[in-house]
Amino acid sequence: MRSSTKILLIYTGGTIGMQKDFETGALKAFNFSKLLQRVPELKLLDCAIETISFENPIDSSNISPESWVAIAEVIEQNYTAFDGFVVLHGSDTMSYSASALSFMLENLGKPVIFTGSQLPIGDLRTDAKENLITAIQIASLQENGKPVITEVGLYFEYKLYRGNRTTKISAEHFNAFTSPNYPFLIESGVHLKVNKDLLLPLDANKPFRVHKLFDAHVMILKMFPGINQKVLETLVNIPDLKGIVLETYGSGNAPTEEWFIELLQQAIISGIHIVNVTQCSGGSVNMGKYETSSELKKIGVISGKDCTTEAAITKLMHLLGQNIPTSDFKNSFENAIRGEMG
């Protein structure tokens, strides 16, 4: 009988894995196999930790669907050997990656926790140690021999959020992330406070599956006063474009000008899937609430409900990769598959 859980730490890149050269001030990646030497506090955790590092760590600005597949494959190949996974990742695109992985990992029965930091692990005032230690502790949480968390989470500055509900809100502060439309799952204080009723339920009768196909012929279009007909016409006629996430005003509102609606309608008729999400920092799309969104509903624009832009664009790429028939696509998108919308 094992006395402790086994956690696999996957370093993809990012500030958390950097160390400062005190002579030059430059940041460089450190050897993750020597992690326990850098963070001796990890020895106090009741879990066995192993590490895998990408051979060439990726700055999170360079993360791509291929990177998501690489992370998913590490989890897939080590799934039976470990009780939980912690993915160390640059913070800039962490919400995109956490969202993408949540859609890729179907019937996930173990925790996959993304974390990172705003300062390198060797920095005097670093937030890396707390984020790392608590993320590992959360990944090793068990009750009656079973993992407490069975979904993709994102841990930062004392809170664990559902990964596909997060967005980055600050480049300066340690509390860099928020979950605007869904409460945190765990809060770290003197004790870990777990909100069990908010956790994604697991259907233990279904097998774990990994989806690796994405179609990135998509774009995000943010509405703004004065959007130009010629510009929009050019955008919706981009060759091979298959999907648009439209960031609208308020609860899903957009201009009612005839040319605007006609352009979107023609795009939808030509097979482009258009998803409506709000550009507000919180709240939900409710097409039909106002006249300025009724036309969008009529022409078949997909409601992103309270999805973040990060979840909407990665879900769009994921569903396009599944080759879902056009007639079923709207319904597939508007139904939550990993707790990404309410």
Side-chain angles (χ1 to χ4, degrees):
M1 184 176 173
R2 287 181 302 177
S3 59
S4 65
T5 51
K6 285 184 73 180
I7 303 300
L8 182 63
L9 201 59
I10 305 164
Y11 177 62
T12 67
T15 301
I16 193 168
M18 298 293 177
Q19 61 182 358
K20 188 178 283 187
D21 184 312
F22 290 105
E23 288 184 10
T24 65
L27 293 176
K28 58 183 181 181
F30 75 80
N31 184 348
F32 253 80
S33 63
K34 297 180 179 176
L35 182 65
L36 287 174
Q37 294 173 25
R38 298 298 304 246
V39 192
E41 296 93 332
L42 292 175
K43 293 175 184 174
L44 299 174
L45 294 174
D46 184 27
C47 58
I49 303 165
E50 291 186 29
T51 62
I52 286 181
S53 180
F54 276 23
E55 192 173 337
N56 298 303
I58 307 168
D59 185 291
S60 74
S61 297
N62 291 322
I63 287 286
S64 66
E66 290 74 26
S67 312
W68 300 333
V69 171
I71 297 168
E73 285 181 340
V74 171
I75 294 167
E76 182 181 35
Q77 290 157 13
N78 292 278
Y79 191 72
T80 55
F82 290 88
D83 300 295
F85 304 87
V86 172
V87 181
L88 302 180
H89 191 291
S91 62
D92 285 351
T93 56
M94 196 188 295
S95 289
Y96 290 94
S97 294
S99 297
L101 264 289
S102 77
F103 300 129
M104 296 174 79
L105 306 176
E106 184 181 356
N107 301 318
L108 179 64
K110 299 178 181 185
V112 173
I113 311 298
F114 277 77
T115 195
S117 66
Q118 296 286 64
L119 289 173
I121 208 161
D123 200 279
L124 187 63
R125 296 178 52 252
T126 188
D127 55 330
K129 285 189 178 184
E130 196 284 320
N131 286 347
L132 175 61
I133 290 165
T134 309
I136 293 171
Q137 195 172 14
I138 288 169
S140 64
L141 281 179
Q142 299 226 336
E143 198 171 71
N144 301 321
K146 294 181 179 177
V148 172
I149 305 294
T150 54
E151 59 179 286
V152 177
L154 188 156
Y155 180 79
F156 228 87
E157 184 69 358
Y158 306 120
K159 288 185 174 69
L160 176 75
Y161 304 107
R162 176 164 297 154
N164 58 32
R165 288 288 197 153
T166 62
T167 190
K168 187 175 180 183
I169 54 167
S170 178
E172 295 291 319
H173 298 113
F174 287 146
N175 57 335
F177 290 86
T178 191
S179 173
N181 294 317
Y182 200 77
F184 57 81
L185 306 179
I186 295 179
E187 185 172 30
S188 171
V190 175
H191 303 286
L192 292 177
K193 179 189 172 188
V194 183
N195 294 317
K196 290 185 181 177
D197 55 330
L198 298 175
L199 301 178
L200 205 58
L202 171 68
D203 187 341
N205 297 316
K206 292 183 178 178
F208 172 61
R209 291 182 62 202
V210 182
H211 300 275
K212 299 178 188 178
L213 297 177
F214 284 94
D215 192 328
H217 292 91
V218 296
M219 63 175 290
I220 297 168
L221 176 61
K222 185 167 186 164
M223 296 305 308
F224 59 92
I227 191 165
N228 181 281
Q229 181 176 351
K230 205 86 177 152
V231 171
L232 185 59
E233 199 172 323
T234 303
L235 291 173
V236 298
N237 285 297
I238 291 171
D240 301 321
L241 182 67
K242 296 179 183 175
I244 299 172
V245 170
L246 190 67
E247 284 194 351
T248 56
Y249 309 124
S251 56
N253 306 311
T256 53
E257 290 175 77
E258 200 173 312
W259 67 264
F260 179 80
I261 300 299
E262 280 184 5
L263 272 178
L264 295 189
Q265 187 171 24
Q266 283 306 312
I268 291 168
I269 290 168
S270 72
I272 295 172
H273 303 288
I274 301 178
V275 179
N276 186 357
V277 298
T278 176
Q279 59 183 252
C280 295
S281 56
S284 180
V285 159
N286 183 6
M287 287 191 291
K289 183 178 180 182
Y290 296 100
E291 185 188 347
T292 45
S293 63
S294 294
E295 289 299 318
L296 299 181
K297 189 175 183 179
K298 278 184 200 169
I299 64 173
V301 170
I302 298 165
S303 175
K305 301 182 181 178
D306 62 353
C307 242
T308 62
T309 297
E310 293 92 333
I313 196 72
T314 51
K315 185 177 184 180
L316 186 57
M317 286 191 268
H318 165 69
L319 291 180
L320 285 169
Q322 307 308 302
N323 287 318
I324 293 166
T326 301
S327 56
D328 298 333
F329 196 93
K330 185 174 187 290
N331 187 55
S332 295
F333 196 101
E334 290 182 346
N335 284 290
I337 55 175
R338 306 286 188 269
E340 74 281 357
M341 57 168 63

